[in-house]
Amino acid sequence: MIRDSLKYIGYFVLLIVLQVFVLNNVQYSGYINPMIYLLFILILPFEIKGLFLLVVAFLTGLTVDLFMNTLGMHTSATVVMAFTRPYVISFLSRRTDLDFKGKVIMGVTGVQWYVKYTIILVFVHHIFLFYFELFSFNHFFLTLLRVLLSTFFSSIVILTAQYFTVKKK
């Protein structure tokens, strides 16, 4: 248990550092913003539910906000993402598919399930983040394009990271 907690703390630090110092400097025309720190929320175990999941998401978003000086936008988007996570898990899987214990990683859940899970939750995060950032529907379609492109590229980055960290059986 302590070893798993230390491992998740290590993931948290690594993903925040990658986001803040590497991926925040990658922006294409203001439309593509890859975000790898979302992987931390995605890989949390199935048994983390409720208030603890929301607190972890809050702290993750707050950390990114502090480094990016974005005044709570990432915090609110990661909390929305964490709030929808149990619903997405139950929507994507039947009780017999997953035991709802253990790690949420590609090697345990299967590639197809994990890809759907990642794309849906990253899309939820991005749609909330980018429309909250704009706080208007004046540029609805441009913002939607930004959401879709950023979702695509963030999902590619997250799935690639997940692919290379999963131990082969």
Side-chain angles (χ1 to χ4, degrees):
M1 172 118 171
I2 292 174
R3 195 173 89 171
D4 284 341
S5 298
L6 291 174
K7 187 167 52 168
Y8 283 110
I9 290 170
Y11 284 143
F12 176 81
V13 170
L14 176 67
L15 292 172
I16 297 296
V17 166
L18 280 173
Q19 181 66 48
V20 170
F21 295 111
V22 177
L23 292 178
N24 282 353
N25 298 319
V26 176
Q27 261 191 10
Y28 300 106
S29 306
Y31 287 100
I32 299 171
N33 305 92
M35 297 184 191
I36 197 166
Y37 79 93
L38 300 175
L39 179 60
F40 182 70
I41 305 297
L42 294 171
I43 65 171
L44 291 173
F46 285 117
E47 29 314 318
I48 292 181
K49 292 185 174 137
L51 184 61
F52 187 67
L53 177 62
L54 295 177
V55 169
V56 169
F58 177 83
L59 293 174
T60 303
L62 183 64
T63 305
V64 173
D65 279 333
L66 290 173
F67 282 109
M68 294 177 65
N69 198 22
T70 50
L71 298 173
M73 289 189 293
H74 291 273
T75 303
S76 58
T78 54
V79 169
V80 168
M81 178 184 166
F83 181 79
T84 59
R85 181 179 181 252
Y87 299 108
V88 171
I89 290 171
S90 65
F91 172 74
L92 289 177
S93 52
R94 289 168 272 166
R95 275 280 196 225
T96 57
D97 287 346
L98 301 169
D99 61 359
F100 292 98
K101 291 189 174 155
K103 300 173 184 170
V104 183
I105 56 173
M106 203 180 297
V108 172
T109 62
V111 175
Q112 185 177 12
W113 188 93
Y114 196 82
V115 168
K116 288 185 224 174
Y117 166 75
T118 299
I119 291 172
I120 290 170
L121 285 177
V122 169
F123 179 76
V124 166
H125 175 273
H126 284 7
I127 202 160
F128 189 85
L129 176 71
F130 293 133
Y131 280 106
F132 185 61
E133 177 184 49
L134 187 62
F135 210 68
S136 169
F137 289 112
N138 289 342
H139 302 287
F140 180 81
F141 292 108
L142 285 175
T143 306
L144 184 61
L145 176 66
R146 185 177 176 199
V147 167
L148 294 174
L149 289 174
S150 291
T151 298
F152 177 75
F153 283 100
S154 293
S155 297
I156 293 295
V157 168
I158 288 169
L159 293 170
T160 302
Q162 220 7 243
Y163 178 77
F164 286 118
T165 58
V166 171
K167 294 178 183 169
K168 309 287 188 266
K169 291 183 180 180

